[in-house]
Amino acid sequence: MATMRSNYIWFDGRLVPWEEAQVHVTAHALHYGSSVFEGIRAYATPRGPAVFCLREHLARLYASCKIFRMDLPYSPEDLAKAVLETVRANGHAACYIRPLVFRGAGSLGVDPRACPVHTVLITFEWGSYLGEGVLEKGVDVAVSSWRRAAPDTAATMAKIGGQYVNSQFMVVEAREGGFTEAIALDAYGYLSEGSGENLFVVKDGVVYTPPLAAAILPGITRRCVLQLARDLGIPVQEQPLLREALYVADEAFFTGTAAEITPIRSVDRIPVGDGRPGPITKRLQEEFFGITSGRLEDRHGWLTPVNP
Ligand code: PMP
């Protein structure tokens, strides 16, 4: 994995050198997880870098802020311009983009409202999230002993920093157990998602994925993959799924900005299908990477070129 580094970070409206993007140790977010964030990718295309689903990611960022009662002092259009400006300033051919809105120093009472809201945009080059070669080989995963929060415990539609403690529990337990990633069940025992990915299961030619009510983040890649499947005439179903559906699946895969489309080759040491990425997973990967690389037509308008 490349070192996380670039020249500039956009911090409250201006580009500052990477080393100077600092916060005080009393920042509220550091103590109580009072932040919301996004993860976006810019892909290398023949026309230069292009940001994937920029509008959709910023819409989710604003939704997260609204749910968490944080006022962002920028319009989505201004923030979109700032994203493009940061990628340009850092000279990336392709990169990961991390917008973060957080409560800074002001008070250490739990009520965050006395603390100022800061906005940063961090960009850096990031390869395959779950390891080298996983897009071809797939990953070995385990169902976690940690569950996703009940619907009235957290706000899973929002990408809130503090909620990622649950994801950290999951991924650390999985890695300690020799797996690459974990899959959580929701509070009722139905399949939910990975620590940082949405989950898909393929059976008898149908693509299944848990619904939003299964405590999942409304993934942007999830939405794109559902669209691509429909484009290809593959039936899709958003419905509650049982854990054992993974054991008898023909194929399974994760989606996410960082993980892209990562095949799952085993769950709890039980091979998924024959233990190799299946034809529907590969077909969706082909379509997804075809569009993100600029090889296929961007028929849904998902790419925003960084250089006008
Ligand atoms: N679920 C969780 C918990 C995540 O952190 C992510 C990554 N943002 C996803 C799903 C996938 O969402 P997206 O496709 O929008 O990156």
Side-chain angles (χ1 to χ4, degrees):
M1 196 181 284
T3 330
M4 183 172 59
R5 184 60 229 254
S6 61
N7 291 331
Y8 298 104
I9 288 175
W10 189 93
F11 201 136
D12 286 340
R14 61 190 190 95
L15 289 169
V16 300
W18 177 278
E19 299 76 16
E20 288 173 28
Q22 309 266 356
V23 295
H24 195 261
V25 289
T26 59
H28 198 268
L30 200 53
H31 298 258
Y32 306 123
S34 37
S35 66
V36 307
F37 66 102
E38 269 305 314
I40 314 175
R41 270 189 195 268
Y43 286 92
T45 77
R47 294 172 57 202
V51 182
F52 186 69
C53 287
L54 179 57
R55 204 174 343 102
E56 293 81 352
H57 280 284
L58 292 181
R60 190 172 64 190
L61 183 73
Y62 280 79
S64 297
C65 285
K66 189 169 188 191
I67 291 167
F68 207 19
R69 297 172 189 249
M70 285 173 116
D71 281 330
L72 249 182
Y74 308 98
S75 69
E77 294 73 29
D78 288 346
L79 217 47
K81 279 193 204 124
V83 166
L84 302 180
E85 183 193 351
T86 311
V87 176
R88 256 194 315 266
N90 283 321
H92 300 295
C95 65
Y96 182 81
I97 303 157
R98 166 55 53 84
L100 171 72
V101 184
F102 66 95
R103 293 281 185 181
S107 153
L108 281 185
V110 173
D111 185 344
R113 291 171 303 168
C115 302
V117 172
H118 296 291
T119 311
V120 298
L121 300 170
I122 306 163
T123 70
F124 56 95
E125 285 163 32
W126 211 3
S128 211
Y129 178 63
L130 292 171
E132 283 311 308
V134 298
L135 297 177
E136 297 79 29
K137 290 189 314 238
V139 287
D140 300 309
V141 309
V143 173
S144 186
S145 69
W146 296 99
R147 295 239 192 149
R148 279 299 192 216
D152 53 356
T153 305
T156 47
M157 278 179 71
K159 205 165 163 60
I160 296 173
Q163 290 178 178
Y164 277 75
V165 168
N166 176 247
S167 285
Q168 293 178 56
F169 282 154
M170 285 167 62
V171 74
V172 170
E173 180 191 57
R175 301 242 165 114
E176 293 282 333
F179 300 94
T180 300
E181 181 54 296
I183 292 172
L185 304 180
D186 69 13
Y188 307 102
Y190 293 102
L191 290 177
S192 178
E193 62 178 352
S195 70
E197 307 86 11
N198 291 117
L199 174 67
F200 284 78
V201 175
V202 182
K203 182 74 178 170
D204 296 332
V206 180
V207 169
Y208 296 90
T209 196
L212 294 195
I216 64 164
L217 182 80
I220 312 287
T221 321
R222 172 184 182 274
R223 207 196 302 165
C224 294
V225 162
L226 287 171
Q227 180 65 54
L228 293 177
R230 287 190 198 101
D231 293 353
L232 295 169
I234 302 167
V236 297
Q237 293 271 4
E238 292 180 60
Q239 62 169 69
L241 295 169
L242 298 167
R243 171 180 185 157
E244 59 272 27
L246 283 168
Y247 303 149
V248 296
D250 299 326
E251 305 177 34
F253 57 89
F254 283 132
T255 65
T257 297
E260 299 168 307
I261 299 176
T262 301
I264 297 172
R265 67 178 176 193
S266 73
V267 180
D268 298 334
R269 309 270 182 231
I270 300 174
V272 175
D274 66 1
R276 281 176 302 188
I280 290 183
T281 310
K282 285 203 235 169
R283 188 71 193 85
L284 289 166
Q285 280 184 327
E286 234 172 74
E287 202 70 13
F288 179 82
F289 291 114
I291 292 174
T292 56
S293 65
R295 246 186 309 110
L296 296 179
E297 190 207 335
D298 177 23
R299 60 183 182 271
H300 298 292
W302 287 338
L303 295 175
T304 304
V306 169
N307 303 311

